[in-house]
Amino acid sequence: MIVDFQRHYVPEELARKRGLYSEKTSFAKAGTMPRLTMHSKLYDVEAQLRDMGEAGIDVSVLSSPLGWDAPLSDCQFINDKFSELQQRFHGQFVGLAHAPVLEGELAMKELDRAIKDLGLHGFTITSQVKGLSLDSPKLYDFYAKASELDVPIFVHPALLPRGYELLTDLDLPRVLGREVDLSVATTRIIAGGILDRFPALKFVIGHFGGGISAVKDRLVAKGYRFGTLKRPFNDYFNMLHFDTAGFEGGLTALRCGLLGILPERLVFASDYPQDFTGVNTDTGKGMIALREYIDVVRHLEIKEELKEGILGGTAMRLLKLQDKKS
């Protein structure tokens, strides 16, 4: 069973409502800065299913690029559409719930509805929430809700991370800023005491945590400087999960990731259709390359059960899909 933990879908009606629908590749911008690439495969379920078949993906875990900073009504619409896709395609699509998580009781009610009534399987936020870091006390109610419902939180990179003044041109917010921000978010979850306050939380952080394995040794050695850790940094780090998306199957990223992240804490992901479609890269990679990425994981020099966990087993446990797919 191959589960792709990071795949994106935008309901066509919502794209049209926002004035972003285009069958040609176009860019949603914030001022002069591109924040999101829009294109036809984001809205085309049948095309996504064909690509899943060609790549060998059994289950796609969906989040919506228009949902992370959306008002409540748009989040409700996305959640409804995800639920419809789950029912229509019998397990090939699994939806993650969106909500404006800083908006108090109404947002928490929507998260309840998404899991209890619509049957979605987790939540998704970005590495910053309206400029707040992920250890902000303003997110405690959200974390309490995720703990109560026992569902994972998928952390996608912020579309335009704030607070990095040297990363505002040359499309650096998307190219590099997102990865920097994921590493910062991962570190702040640990240093900010979130896993002490909410030990049952199940985070899945995108893009290998922004490539955090490359600096993990420094964090382990110098984490005492935070002045907040009750246990070694690595103990907290090993409570987190990470996905393999964001580098379009790059073997350097995979190998580096495995040097710092336990394989049982990795879930396979592609960032489709933003990657492996030629939309956001100039490499020309397609579904054949995605299938090859899966094969690379299958041939890693680790135990078979660990490879099976990366490719699907761990995601199925996190999302509570094992009974439905047995």
Side-chain angles (χ1 to χ4, degrees), residues 1 3 103 127 144 209 235:
M1 182 66 62
V3 180
E103 293 186 13
S127 51
D235 286 1

Side-chain angles (χ1 to χ4, degrees), residues 1 6 8 14 20 29 51 71 79 87-88 90 99 122 124 130 140 153 169 182 197 221 229 277 308:
M1 182 66 62
Q6 187 182 158
H8 304 302
L14 183 57
L20 295 173
K29 293 185 177 182
D51 283 350
N79 295 340
Q87 296 176 50
R88 179 181 171 193
H90 308 292
T124 179
K130 293 189 179 299
Y140 286 178
I153 300 171
D169 60 353
L182 281 169
R197 185 178 289 271
L229 301 185
T277 56
E308 292 303 317

